[in-house]
Amino acid sequence: MSANEPRPDLPPYGDARAVHPIVRVGAEWTWRLLVLFAGLVTLGYLISKLDTVLIPVGLALLAAALLYPLVDWMQRRGVPRSAGVVVVLVVAIGVVAGIMTFVVEQFIAGLPELTDQFTQSIDQIQDWLTAGPFHFSEDQIRQAGDSVVKSIQDNKEAVTSGALTTGKVIGELFTGAALTLFTVIFFLYGGEQIWEFVTRVVPTASRERVRLAGSQGFGSLVGYVRATVVVAAADAVGIGVGLAILGVPLALPLASLVFVGAFIPIVGAFVTGFVAVLVALVTKGLITALITLGIIIGIMQLEGHVLQPLLLGRAVRLHPLAVVLAITTGIVLAGIVGGLLAVPIVAVLNTAIRSLLASDQEEVPDEVEVADPRIPLFPATQDEVP
């Protein structure tokens, strides 16, 4: 046999069997991962383009998860569902509007005091810079102030153009709020019918399984929203009381900011609480700021080790790493609202996927256990638990 003749014990040139198995398997995994990556990029692009619609729908889903058990409770008491939806929405909007009005009034009332204390702190810092260990001259401090003013003047055009877009931003906020309210109404009134209509695109053989998985996922969302509201309220009350005792200005508005931030798990309450630390530092000094920081760290420890495990229970169980990665991804894709919606989405998907992968169609994942899927997963009162 000559050197140019092919060997009969080897596959012909170009045959896939001629490629080493490791290379072949690696190539197969590579193109599949590339396809998945392309799908994720496409999905992210669509989300970024449709954020004006998707964000209000996501917020509406959170609001519906919070109010849905109340509407069900009223319906079981004989109240027509349409009337129950109207009553619950009117009460919820009234409570939110009342709280916001009270917080804004407190902020306006406390702002002059905060301004005076801030001015005094700036004067003290300037005195310390001139008479302290650094021995800065008054000319150097004045030049630094002039540099800041010049920088603002140089960026005046950018600031003006940003102010011109304020009307557009306000218009988008009102549009998003109206769309959110409109969507919440239909979610509360006919959420089950909407889900059944959407799942008609699923093949008949898997339709009931998908519907059950969606029901279980929404049940996890209800549990998550309930627990988050209670945890956020506990964080706000604890930090607000601590700020009031320490005499930090704007204690109530700062506590309200903590309440809103606590809806982003792990990092939200701490980041918004750090604003309170800065206010305490500027107005009351270093010792008060350190005490405020200690209060926030203590409340965060109470939240992470007691409140969340006790309130969430088996309804939603996510690894802290999954929570942090979800929040980071949400913020990158959609800003603060993305961080707010990221963990609820992961919680719903976690329960729904586990339900779909269960060996028995009626089997429910570990996070949610019910005997009858038709019974509400999270009844409005404990005496209604089967």
Side-chain angles (χ1 to χ4, degrees):
M1 178 181 299
S2 64
N4 294 330
E5 294 181 2
R7 292 175 53 183
D9 58 334
L10 295 177
Y13 180 78
D15 194 328
R17 293 174 298 174
V19 182
H20 194 279
I22 295 179
V23 178
R24 186 167 63 250
V25 172
E28 292 174 354
W29 272 103
T30 299
W31 73 259
R32 287 180 171 87
L33 291 175
L34 288 175
V35 171
L36 291 176
F37 179 75
L40 291 176
V41 171
T42 304
L43 179 62
Y45 176 79
L46 292 177
I47 291 175
S48 64
K49 291 298 182 181
L50 299 176
D51 58 348
T52 307
V53 176
L54 294 179
I55 289 177
V57 171
L59 295 176
L61 192 60
L62 290 180
L66 179 63
L67 302 177
Y68 200 91
L70 297 177
V71 177
D72 281 348
W73 179 82
M74 296 181 66
Q75 185 178 17
R76 288 194 294 270
R77 294 300 184 272
V79 180
R81 191 167 189 86
S82 57
V85 171
V86 173
V87 171
V88 169
L89 284 178
V90 169
V91 172
I93 294 174
V95 170
V96 172
I99 294 175
M100 292 298 296
T101 301
F102 182 68
V103 169
V104 171
E105 290 179 352
Q106 292 294 316
F107 178 80
I108 294 175
L111 188 60
E113 179 185 359
L114 177 62
T115 303
D116 294 339
Q117 293 183 349
F118 182 78
T119 303
Q120 294 176 3
S121 299
I122 295 299
D123 294 338
Q124 292 175 359
I125 292 174
Q126 290 179 345
D127 294 339
W128 181 78
L129 289 175
T130 54
F134 295 102
H135 298 289
F136 288 112
S137 65
E138 294 184 0
D139 292 337
Q140 290 175 321
I141 297 176
R142 188 180 302 107
Q143 289 176 1
D146 293 340
S147 300
V148 174
V149 173
K150 185 176 182 301
S151 176
I152 296 176
Q153 292 176 347
D154 293 340
N155 292 275
K156 183 177 179 180
E157 182 179 354
V159 173
T160 305
S161 62
L164 293 176
T165 62
T166 302
K168 179 181 178 182
V169 173
I170 294 176
E172 291 179 352
L173 290 177
F174 275 108
T175 302
L179 180 59
T180 301
L181 178 61
F182 189 74
T183 308
V184 168
I185 293 174
F186 282 95
F187 280 171
L188 292 177
Y189 182 74
E192 294 181 0
Q193 291 78 7
I194 294 175
W195 177 240
E196 290 180 359
F197 175 80
V198 171
T199 52
R200 288 181 182 179
V201 300
V202 180
T204 306
S206 304
R207 188 173 300 167
E208 290 301 323
R209 192 180 188 91
V210 172
R211 288 176 176 173
L212 177 61
S215 174
Q216 303 300 331
F218 184 74
S220 290
L221 182 62
V222 171
Y224 170 83
V225 173
R226 281 185 175 183
T228 303
V229 170
V230 176
V231 170
D235 291 345
V237 170
I239 294 177
V241 170
L243 294 176
I245 293 175
L246 294 174
V248 177
L250 303 178
L252 184 59
L254 290 173
S256 302
L257 182 63
V258 172
F259 176 80
V260 175
F263 280 86
I264 301 178
I266 298 178
V267 298
F270 184 81
V271 172
T272 52
F274 194 73
V275 177
V277 176
L278 293 179
V279 174
L281 177 63
V282 172
T283 58
K284 294 296 183 179
L286 180 61
I287 301 300
T288 303
L290 291 176
I291 296 175
T292 304
L293 180 60
I295 293 174
I296 293 174
I297 293 176
I299 291 177
M300 294 299 99
Q301 293 297 316
L302 178 65
E303 171 191 334
H305 293 87
V306 178
L307 294 179
Q308 285 191 353
L310 179 63
L311 296 175
L312 287 176
R314 298 173 66 86
V316 179
R317 183 181 298 172
L318 296 175
H319 194 279
L321 179 60
V323 173
V324 173
L325 292 179
I327 293 173
T328 305
T329 304
I331 292 176
V332 170
L333 292 178
I336 297 177
V337 179
L340 173 65
L341 297 176
V343 178
I345 291 174
V346 173
V348 171
L349 292 178
N350 177 49
T351 302
I353 292 174
R354 289 174 67 89
S355 178
L356 289 173
L357 297 179
S359 58
D360 185 5
Q361 183 174 355
E362 296 299 327
E363 182 181 350
V364 184
D366 295 338
E367 284 79 0
V368 183
E369 296 181 352
V370 293
D372 187 352
R374 295 172 295 180
I375 298 177
L377 297 176
F378 298 89
T381 56
Q382 293 296 324
D383 57 351
E384 294 170 7
V385 178

